Amino acid sequence: MNRITKVITTIAATIISLDILSMFLFWLFGHIIGTILYLSILFVGHVISYRYFYLPLIILISLAIAFGIKSVLAMLVLIILILSLALALMIYWPRHHNS
């Protein structure tokens, strides 16, 4: 009887310790998955909120990948020149050509 009690006690202790270990692991993995899910939702919301900042950045990076960095820099210089000329005309034209 003593040996059977010892075996049953050992089996019960093993089951309880495995149960506690599995509860801890599920708790830990649940928190890890929840944290990853929370951070991904936070990041997606941040990108959606600041899309006016990230979208040109993504476009510039994809253009640099497609055409090379020198071509993209040349495009940006041309765009800046055209915009500055347009701004200069917007300032100059109304002052000197009033009709």
Side-chain angles (χ1 to χ4, degrees), residues 66-92:
F67 298 112
I69 193 76
K70 289 182 182 177
S71 300
V72 173
L73 286 175
M75 284 185 228
L76 286 175
V77 167
L78 285 173
I79 288 170
I80 290 171
L81 281 173
I82 291 169
L83 287 177
S84 61
L85 285 172
L87 182 65
L89 269 176
M90 285 172 59
I91 292 171
Y92 172 80

Side-chain angles (χ1 to χ4, degrees), residues 26-43:
F26 276 108
W27 172 83
L28 183 67
F29 290 143
H31 276 74
I32 290 171
I33 290 170
T35 304
I36 291 170
L37 187 65
Y38 171 73
L39 288 175
S40 63
I41 289 171
L42 198 68
F43 178 73

Side-chain angles (χ1 to χ4, degrees), residues 1 10-11 16 55 60 68-69 83 88 92:
M1 189 74 166
T10 306
I11 291 172
I16 290 172
L55 192 61
L60 279 175
I69 193 76
L83 287 177
Y92 172 80

